[in-house]
Amino acid sequence: MSQAQAPRWSRDLERLLPIRSQYVVSGNIRDTFLTPLAGGPALVPLLRCLWETLRLQGTRCLLVFDPADGIRVYPNEPVPRELAERLFDLKLASGNQMISLETLSNLMKNLTAQREARCALVLDFASRLTRHPDHLAEGEHRFFVAAEKLSLATAPVVPKDGGGLPAFNPVLWLVNRAQDLPSWFTLDSERVASLIIAKPDYESRQAAAQLLAPLFGGFAAAAAVDRDKFVKNFTDGTDGMSLTALS
């Protein structure tokens, strides 16, 4: 992925993979992100952007869990699905499998130590894992203690299939706000990094405007000065908006 075009948070993730085992990703997580793809830059959801970042670091299996639909593989294609089923004893023929927090905890332990292939786990809608993050039920408390212990105990791995430098098989928690998780979980482990996704800055909106402008009638036929003026007005007029709203 072109470092000049990749979102800041994805570049930070790539830089931290050798030294941080888990990530709490908060803020503007439901936006789209300008991401370099094989066919050129495109606005894609966070999961796609995350997959492109991890794939270029050698990741072959990205699992996604959420409290509503359980566990699934991303992208939902035959090769990664069969790999996930084999490595983690999952049944994903229907696309997903419901699992308990206890099973999820065991899966996390397996995944972070996995050496057959680089893997990653996303806990989507992690803000909804508990009703009250600072007043946990017994099973919830046990789950977060196990996750904290795992963040400290796991080690960087070098996969059997591809070599390369040691890096963690990361666990990423997608939350609306960092406070949606128990405060001690994010504060007491130096292996848990915080990635805060801000609303798009001027440069991000400008790049998105340049990508979207040709979709407007008359843009392609306009003079260069008029096209530049259109992109500038588009960028200036969308301050505070998400890239999803632009498109």
Side-chain angles (χ1 to χ4, degrees), residues 1-7 11 36 56:
M1 180 177 295
S2 169
Q3 291 300 299
Q5 294 181 316
R11 302 198 307 269
L56 293 180

Side-chain angles (χ1 to χ4, degrees), residues 43 204-206 208-209 212 216 234 238 241-247:
L43 290 169
S204 298
R205 300 196 319 276
Q206 183 181 50
L212 297 170
F216 289 82
F234 195 169
T238 53
M241 294 173 62
S242 67
L243 296 189
T244 300
L246 268 66
S247 56

Side-chain angles (χ1 to χ4, degrees), residues 34-189:
L34 194 60
T35 304
L37 304 177
L43 290 169
V44 301
L46 184 142
L47 271 182
R48 175 68 187 278
C49 183
L50 181 60
W51 168 245
E52 294 298 326
T53 301
L54 293 172
R55 179 181 63 82
L56 293 180
Q57 302 306 306
T59 298
R60 293 174 52 202
C61 180
L62 175 60
L63 293 179
V64 181
F65 171 85
D66 74 69
D69 294 320
I71 197 80
R72 58 189 173 93
V73 68
Y74 184 94
N76 186 18
E77 298 172 352
V79 172
R81 186 168 60 245
E82 291 167 7
L83 179 63
E85 289 178 329
R86 178 168 59 83
L87 293 181
F88 305 109
D89 194 26
L90 297 171
K91 296 177 176 61
L92 301 174
S94 62
N96 63 290
Q97 178 182 339
M98 295 302 299
I99 60 175
S100 66
L101 285 182
E102 182 177 1
T103 301
L104 177 60
S105 182
N106 291 331
L107 186 149
M108 289 167 64
K109 186 180 297 186
N110 182 348
L111 179 140
T112 55
Q114 185 58 241
R115 293 187 63 244
E116 186 167 338
R118 283 210 184 279
C119 305
L121 171 65
V122 170
L123 302 177
D124 202 0
F125 292 92
S127 294
R128 305 295 175 247
L129 285 172
T130 70
R131 294 184 180 181
H132 305 288
D134 289 319
H135 297 84
L136 300 176
E138 181 180 351
E140 295 169 346
H141 184 264
R142 188 163 52 245
F143 171 74
F144 279 100
V145 169
E148 179 188 23
K149 181 178 179 181
L150 186 62
S151 75
L152 295 166
T154 190
V157 298
V158 176
K160 297 176 182 177
D161 63 349
L165 297 175
F168 288 98
N169 287 337
V171 176
L172 300 104
W173 308 71
L174 304 188
V175 296
N176 299 325
R177 295 162 295 275
Q179 301 91 319
D180 292 338
L181 300 180
S183 56
W184 50 264
F185 175 72
T186 54
L187 292 173
D188 293 346
S189 173

